[in-house]
Structures are given as C-alpha cells and as structure tokens.
Amino acid sequence: MPHILPRTFYARPSIVVARDLIGKTLVRNLAGGVCLRGIVVETEAYGGTKDPASHAFRGMTPRNEIMFGDAGFSYVYFTYGFHNCLNVVTGRKGRAQAVLIRAMEPIEGLEKMKELRGGSTGDPVNLTNGPGKICQALAIDRSLNKVDITKNNSPIYFESSNLEQLGRKVLKSSRIGISAGKDKLWRFYDSSSPYVSHRGKINLGPRLPFRLSRP
DNA sequence: CACTAGATTTTCT
DNA sequence: GAAAATCTAGTGG
C-alpha cells in the first residue's frame, strides 16, 4: 500500500533524499477533487551555505527563508521571468538543504496536465521532462511555497510507489543549468526513463517506451 | 540531431 | 543593474 512520505524521510541529507525520491510518486491535489500523479525520475540535491550552486549560499533572504526551516516543506521559486521550480526542503533545520524535482513520468491526470501545458506539446515526453514543465503541468506556482508536504490533505505530497522496484537504475551526473558547483555529481536520474531532461547530452542508456506499458 | 537566441520578471547586490 | 536551479522556436547539418 502506498503511503505518504513522512518528515523523517526528508530530514536526511539532500543527496540521500534526492537519490531516494527517484521512483516515488508525486501527488498533486487540485481543487475540485482532481488528482494528478507522476513517478519522479530526475532530481538534484542542493546543499546549504557551503554549496555555491544553492540559493542558500549567501545566507537567508526572503526568497530562500523556507530552506532554513524544517524538512518536509515545499520551496517553490520563480525564475527566468517565466518558470516555477518545485523543491522539497531536506536535512536538519538551519542547514538550508533542498532537492529540486526535475522530471517525472505522468501516471494520472494526463489530460489535465496537457491542458495546463497549453494543449499539444508534440512529443508526449515534453509534458513533464523539466522542472519548469512539471510546475506548469501540475499547476504549481509560488502560492504553493512553504507548504507542509507530509500531510494527506496537502495540495502536494510524495508517496511510496508500487513501481519503485521495476528495475530502475539510478545514475548521477553534474547538475544542470548552474555555473558554480559543477564538480559535484548531485543530479540523480532513472537511466531508462524517456522523461529525463537533457537526454542525449548527459544521459546514456536506452530510451525505453512509456513506463505505463509495464505491469 | 545540435546549437542558440530571445522571451520576461523576480531577486538580490 | 545583472544574473537567473528554464523553455521554445528557429536555424543549420
């Protein structure tokens, strides 16, 4: 039986949480009882004030304040004038660690996701193969910043998945889109998922068919 | 398929 | 004032 990931899951180093979130289910409850779900296939870990790529590198600001709080809360930020990105706060209070959710495989509510993404996106993979795309497909914006993601009435939470054990191979690489801290291999992804972002540049491994075709 | 320019606005220096 | 944890459309091979 799937269960909501508790705060103890998040209260560990971001690198561990990022790795363990691969294969978990991201659940987004919309108003009106609509539920959207997807399997997490790509994440990135961000350290606190010691990580030059982290928003917390230069200390606490109004934007990153939630990173300095307890684990198990959302950190949603807006960037490049267009896009929102979803993170979960991890580690011990004050450490300011977080994990960026970069890609997922949709498993429920695909029609609603398409609609939120503005209709056809060409290749179905384009629905959720990037941090900005996930937020658009799941209707996530800054109004969902600082949300407790360990409650079953939360608009966002993660749960354990029956699909976790389906032979996923988790690989790691340097993080994407950053200028400092590229030496750290803190990006984790399911090597066989077609939904992983930046395929072909960094990712090796075969592009398998849609995972939903599996039992 | 590979590469890049351009969009657009928040955030912090 | 500059940079940004990105995306899309467009070009060229």
Side-chain angles (χ1 to χ4, degrees), chain A residues 194-205:
Chain A
Y195 283 83
V196 169
S197 71
H198 292 251
R199 272 200 153 263
K201 291 186 180 177
I202 297 175
N203 310 302
L204 303 174

Side-chain angles (χ1 to χ4, degrees), chain A residues 134-156:
Chain A
I134 283 187
C135 285
Q136 192 179 9
L138 299 183
I140 294 170
D141 62 22
R142 282 165 294 174
S143 69
L144 292 172
N145 188 27
K146 301 187 180 184
V147 162
D148 187 338
I149 59 168
T150 65
K151 310 287 190 210
N152 63 7
N153 61 352
S154 171
I156 303 174

